Amino acid sequence: MCGILGVVATTPVNQLLYDGLQVLQHRGQDAAGIATAESGRFHMHKGSGLVRDVFRTRNMRDLPGNWGIAHVRYPTAGSASAAAEAQPFYVNSPFGLMLAHNGNLTNSEELKREMFLSDLRHINTNSDSEVLLNVLAHELQAAAKSFRLDEETVFTAVAGVHRRCRGAYAAVAMISGTGLVAFRDPYGIRPLVIGRHDTPNGTEWLVASESVALDVMGFKLVRDVAPGEAILIDTEGRFHSRQCATHTVHAPCMFEFVYLARPDSLIDGISVYDARIKMGEFLARKLRATMPHLKIDVVIPIPDSSRPSAMEMAHHLNAPYREGFVKNRYIGRTFIMPGQAIRKKSVRQKLNTIHQEFKGKAVLLVDDSIVRGTTSREIVQMARDAGATKVYMASAAPPVRYANVYGIDMPTKNELIAGTRNEEEICREIGADALIYQDLDDLKAAVQAINPAITVFETSCFDGFYVTGDVTPEYLSGVENQRNDAASKSESEEAPGQLDLNLISRSES
């Protein structure tokens, strides 16, 4: 997962994009970038690290213009340590294009070959986002009839992207002299929302991965970008939209609601917070039905994503809800740290126990999900060290048993604690006295209860069904090998520095 923003405004947008990235920081902590446009020229700065570390005052001054795009990166394809793979990406032909992308293409290797042999384009990194950018560039070149682009040409080009690109992608792009383009894959796997702000000088438009970015920056949520749809906001602020894909299925990623998105976001008409409340309700029902013998003295969430589910479980189980862990907010999310050794080391730096909430009690710990199990094992032991007499674990999501290839860092079964173990074995592995998982049907029902219009979800990490229909065992094996090679390489690499890619020099401006 990554976070993307695109804005067309009536005033300079550099601060707006920076503030938006801060709000979307949870979607990626590996790298950040902002690109703006002014007088037909692009300006860009990007680098490795958190938003607050990548941008300084001098960098912000070098980002003039009233429209732009921004990105926070969470590595899924390519190298987690490659500063050159920070986004946005730029290509100068045709017209001048910049693009930021959230998701993962499942046919990127095939597309690379096509572009080299047929499109005569060169891909310079391992990032599938650069592949997506070059496909868009080629399709624009093929559709264009002159040096000026109209909406028909832009939408024809996006339709070409939909025909060629497989997998998950929500993207924002700037076309020099034309405007801001945003589009979503035909399955709507990764989220993208549209916001509007009416000012005395005209209407401003913002597209973002989550609605929380709109809220914080004073934009009103208009709607989600539909699966297979593209929108174009020209340089005059005029809004255009069109359905570009011939066949669409609305199948948003379930893990957005389980873990990835902020609870104060609305995605595809679904309140993330309300969905997590419902998850707790369904899981409490299952626990009462299947484990009525458990005596639970206190329900404690593992912060932060599990809080709504834990509160609702406590309510339905008639057990006290308590905060037993204090989180150090200056440590990144362990789930998206690139190395297992770093992840293991960071758990106890990130969480500390309030001992009196555990001492002498039978504790039900609630987490949003259990992925690798490393964190869960550490947390169960922390609860015992704090004096808990019994430690039960509840997961608001089903067992994560399969690879996710649509933009979440779960590529190999061997890394997943549930990949080769049943629930009894997982319980022993994490050291808990009892373990309960959400049923997949209940998880779907919980989220669908908030928006009954959504009838299909992307749930491949739970059930092994890939909605795009192109993920083969050979592809999964290739992803696993690529990940293992990247892990071996990263152990010998030094941490990257900042990368300044302003496209015009200070003297030219």
Side-chain angles (χ1 to χ4, degrees), residues 182-198:
F183 54 93
R184 200 174 176 193
D185 70 75
Y187 294 86
I189 298 172
R190 301 262 70 87
L192 195 62
V193 299
I194 307 167
R196 173 177 178 149
H197 181 223
D198 294 314

Side-chain angles (χ1 to χ4, degrees), residues 133-183:
L133 169 62
N134 276 272
V135 172
L136 175 61
H138 178 81
E139 294 300 321
L140 276 171
Q141 187 169 356
K145 296 179 175 61
S146 72
F147 66 92
R148 291 191 180 276
L149 294 178
D150 57 18
E151 59 182 282
E152 185 68 32
T153 303
V154 172
F155 291 141
T156 298
V158 175
V161 172
H162 288 320
R163 284 193 302 271
R164 296 180 66 181
C165 295
R166 301 286 180 266
Y169 48 94
V172 290
M174 292 193 296
I175 307 174
S176 180
T178 301
L180 178 79
V181 182
F183 54 93

Side-chain angles (χ1 to χ4, degrees), residues 259-277:
Y259 173 79
L260 301 180
R262 273 180 46 156
D264 46 345
S265 282
L266 291 169
I267 295 175
D268 292 310
I270 298 169
S271 162
V272 176
Y273 178 82
D274 288 346
R276 291 173 185 171
I277 288 283

Side-chain angles (χ1 to χ4, degrees), residues 212-402:
V212 65
L214 280 55
D215 300 337
V216 170
M217 293 187 289
F219 283 72
K220 181 180 178 181
L221 176 64
V222 176
R223 61 178 177 86
D224 298 84
V225 176
E229 183 187 22
I231 67 168
L232 168 65
I233 305 161
D234 63 30
T235 53
E236 301 299 319
R238 293 183 291 258
F239 181 93
H240 314 270
S241 66
R242 183 174 301 179
Q243 179 56 249
C244 295
T246 56
H247 174 71
T248 64
V249 176
H250 200 172
C253 174
M254 183 62 82
F255 225 73
E256 292 280 353
F257 304 103
V258 169
Y259 173 79
L260 301 180
R262 273 180 46 156
D264 46 345
S265 282
L266 291 169
I267 295 175
D268 292 310
I270 298 169
S271 162
V272 176
Y273 178 82
D274 288 346
R276 291 173 185 171
I277 288 283
K278 278 290 182 183
M279 292 175 203
E281 176 185 334
F282 277 86
L283 189 55
R285 290 179 185 174
K286 179 180 178 181
L287 191 148
R288 284 205 312 265
T290 60
M291 300 180 179
H293 60 284
L294 291 186
K295 179 184 179 297
I296 298 169
D297 295 321
V298 64
V299 177
I300 293 177
I302 299 171
D304 287 317
S305 306
S306 65
R307 281 196 174 103
S309 297
M311 286 190 292
E312 194 67 5
M313 287 195 76
H315 172 71
H316 283 273
L317 296 173
N318 294 316
Y321 170 89
R322 293 289 186 270
E323 292 284 343
F325 294 100
V326 176
K327 183 176 181 179
N328 181 349
R329 302 189 183 280
Y330 298 95
I331 300 291
R333 294 177 99 175
T334 56
F335 175 76
I336 62 175
M337 287 185 176
Q340 183 77 353
I342 298 174
R343 191 159 37 241
K344 290 177 70 175
K345 180 180 178 182
S346 71
V347 174
R348 288 182 182 255
Q349 294 174 339
K350 181 179 177 180
L351 293 176
N352 193 32
T353 54
I354 301 174
H355 283 232
Q356 59 267 33
E357 295 297 349
F358 294 90
K359 190 172 182 179
K361 298 177 183 178
V363 178
L364 175 64
L365 301 179
V366 182
D367 208 348
D368 51 73
S369 58
I370 301 172
V371 181
R372 296 171 178 86
T374 306
T375 300
S376 299
R377 188 182 307 115
E378 289 286 319
I379 288 173
V380 168
Q381 188 57 50
M382 288 171 67
R384 294 198 188 281
D385 293 344
T389 57
K390 294 287 184 180
V391 182
Y392 311 125
M393 178 67 78
S395 169
V400 179
R401 300 191 184 279
Y402 301 94

